Amino acid sequence: MTTLSALTTRGRSFMAAGITAIVCSFVLGERDLLRAGLLVLSLPLLSVLVVSRTRYRLTCSRRATPARFPAGQEAQVHVLLENVSRLPTGILLLEDQVPYTLGGRARFVIDRIEPHGAREMAYRVRADVRGRYHVGPLTVRLADPFGLVELARSFSAADAITVTPPIVPLPPGRLTGSWTGGGESRARMVASAGEDDVAPREYRHGDDLRRVHWRSTARRGELMVRREEQQWQTSATLFLDTRRTAHWGDGPGATFEQAVSAAASIGLQLGRDNLGLRYVTDEGVVLPPSATFEGSLLDLLAVVRTSTGRSLRPGVAALREAANAGDGLIVGVFGRLTSEDVREMTQVRRGAAACVAVIVGESGTAPEVIRLLHVAGWRVVTVSSAAALETAWAEAGGSGFRGEPDRTEAR
């Protein structure tokens, strides 16, 4: 019965027609009608027998380019199906399971794959909502040439596709703060050790060969290059307020979604500035600095959700540790702030560290609260959405401030 369930509508119609012809042949006494009925009935049954005994050995691999892309853009998924058996395949109906958010199912028809041959299919996916989605598994439906039987077999492998928050390109330029390794200490270090001895690192693909540090290369046994930008490197912290009470609205236009997009954009820009960046939320440290920080940050922001906490205290404690450790720049992305939140945030700033507060939603935070942040040494940038961040970021970076209060707001 399981095998007969593989009959298509056409196959069932053939069986019904064959049985009807056989019954009518007995009623009418027509032998020719009996022969025709047996022929029509045997065709779907033979097709079921042939398809059910088919033993193809197929392998499937899948890759998405890119595997991580911003919401609102597209990616292409390539599916490679290989026939590793010694027999050619028949007609194959392929269906890759794709979440509705990415565009629905992808279907293909392949006439034949020769022994040890392969076929590659491609389709596009697009999502307007960030998140991590699974594509697959691939379902292969075996069909006979007459379309009477269709037997489904499924692979088990599925692949993850990460849709990140929309990324707003920010203008280059650093927000100045307590930069390490520069100034007179840098000059003294160069004078005593020489320019070529300053912080060599491992060679990376794309590095200029003229920067190879041969003395360190001979000592380490691998290519080493001069880290010429060491004097501008420092550590920074990116803070995101995820409290549900600090945001409002639903869908892509909600202040939380706009704040996540702003945090992703700022994080990528600070990473391109070669900062040792860490990511903190109101619940505490989430992601420490690492060589793969950019990708890890996007993966986290793709699935981040609002928290049920009402206080910034755990996050503020992590920010104080970062400031005490010498972080020269702290950038916080907030929703609605209250005077109590500001009192907690005033404990963060230490020494010459630059502190920037990006408040998403112009009508959410009272003017007196913003003034208190200014007095506490925070530079406040207020934007209505992440799309307005580009202009505000250019104004923040072009003012040359070093953590001192600014009496203007970027909108």
Side-chain angles (χ1 to χ4, degrees):
M1 294 300 294
T2 303
T3 305
L4 291 178
S5 64
L7 288 170
T8 63
T9 302
R10 181 183 299 178
R12 293 189 180 94
S13 300
F14 266 67
M15 288 195 66
I19 294 174
T20 302
I22 292 172
V23 171
C24 291
S25 68
F26 286 108
V27 174
L28 301 176
E30 292 287 341
R31 290 188 175 182
D32 292 338
L33 189 58
L34 176 62
R35 296 189 186 96
L38 290 173
L39 177 62
V40 173
L41 179 62
S42 63
L43 189 59
L45 294 177
L46 288 174
S47 298
V48 168
L49 181 64
V50 171
V51 173
S52 62
R53 289 181 175 273
T54 300
R55 293 294 181 266
Y56 299 139
R57 294 175 58 197
L58 304 174
T59 63
C60 171
S61 61
R62 184 187 299 102
R63 61 183 175 86
T65 51
R68 184 193 297 117
F69 62 97
Q73 298 187 14
E74 290 185 347
Q76 193 167 41
V77 180
H78 299 266
V79 180
L80 181 64
L81 189 67
E82 297 182 84
N83 178 18
V84 296
S85 65
R86 298 181 179 179
L87 299 175
T89 69
I91 299 176
L92 301 178
L93 308 178
L94 308 178
E95 182 177 313
D96 210 14
Q97 303 296 322
V98 181
Y100 178 77
T101 310
L102 294 181
R105 298 176 178 177
R107 298 177 177 178
F108 308 91
V109 178
I110 297 179
D111 291 335
R112 179 180 180 273
I113 303 181
E114 63 278 3
H116 303 290
R119 296 290 185 275
E120 184 174 3
M121 294 74 64
Y123 60 91
R124 293 188 175 275
V125 293
R126 174 191 171 93
D128 294 325
V129 180
R130 61 182 177 85
R132 184 173 291 115
Y133 305 93
H134 287 86
V135 178
L138 180 70
T139 300
V140 179
R141 300 182 183 274
L142 308 177
D144 67 299
F146 304 103
L148 304 177
V149 179
E150 186 178 292
L151 188 63
R153 295 175 181 174
S154 180
F155 292 90
S156 59
D159 293 280
I161 293 179
T162 302
V163 180
T164 69
I167 305 299
V168 179
L170 300 181
R174 296 173 181 272
L175 298 176
T176 56
S178 179
W179 304 98
T180 60
E184 295 179 0
S185 62
R186 163 74 177 175
R188 286 193 297 267
M189 181 170 59
V190 173
S192 60
E195 179 69 24
D196 290 346
D197 292 332
V198 176
R201 60 166 174 80
E202 295 84 359
Y203 174 84
R204 298 171 186 166
H205 179 71
D207 283 339
D208 191 345
L209 291 177
R210 291 175 296 181
R211 294 176 55 194
V212 173
H213 190 264
W214 296 110
R215 189 182 307 170
S216 298
T217 298
R219 184 169 57 251
R220 295 284 297 274
E222 58 179 330
L223 278 178
M224 304 290 290
V225 296
R226 295 188 301 272
R227 181 179 276 174
E228 297 174 349
E229 299 299 327
Q230 179 69 21
Q231 66 269 30
W232 296 110
Q233 291 193 353
T234 187
S235 55
T237 299
L238 174 65
F239 180 87
L240 176 62
D241 184 4
T242 66
R243 296 174 302 164
R244 187 175 304 166
T245 55
H247 300 278
W248 64 94
D250 297 312
T255 58
F256 179 69
E257 294 299 323
Q258 297 299 315
V260 172
S261 177
S265 305
I266 294 172
L268 291 187
Q269 182 58 45
L270 294 180
R272 295 189 184 104
D273 288 339
N274 295 323
L275 300 183
L277 192 63
R278 79 184 76 228
Y279 167 66
V280 179
T281 69
D282 54 286
E283 297 180 312
V285 176
V286 175
L287 187 63
S290 68
T292 59
F293 180 86
E294 181 176 318
S296 301
L297 176 65
L298 291 177
D299 288 340
L300 282 176
L301 293 179
V303 297
V304 66
R305 296 290 181 264
T306 54
S307 65
T308 57
R310 293 179 175 273
S311 173
L312 293 174
R313 197 168 293 113
V316 168
L319 287 178
R320 281 204 305 267
E321 292 180 5
N324 292 333
D327 278 11
L329 177 64
I330 295 175
V331 180
V333 182
F334 303 93
R336 181 189 295 112
L337 288 175
T338 64
S339 56
E340 178 62 30
D341 298 331
V342 172
R343 279 193 289 270
E344 293 179 352
M345 296 302 297
T346 55
Q347 307 173 25
V348 172
R349 189 167 183 268
R350 292 289 186 274
C355 296
V356 182
V358 179
I359 300 179
V360 180
E362 295 180 339
S363 61
T365 302
E368 57 270 19
V369 173
I370 295 178
R371 185 183 61 81
L372 289 175
L373 270 177
H374 279 308
V375 172
W378 284 73
R379 182 179 181 87
V380 181
V381 175
T382 306
V383 294
S384 58
S385 65
L389 182 62
E390 181 178 1
T391 302
W393 191 258
E395 295 179 7
S399 61
F401 78 100
R402 294 184 177 271
E404 70 275 10
D406 193 311
R407 300 303 177 184
T408 60
E409 299 172 25
R411 297 188 181 273

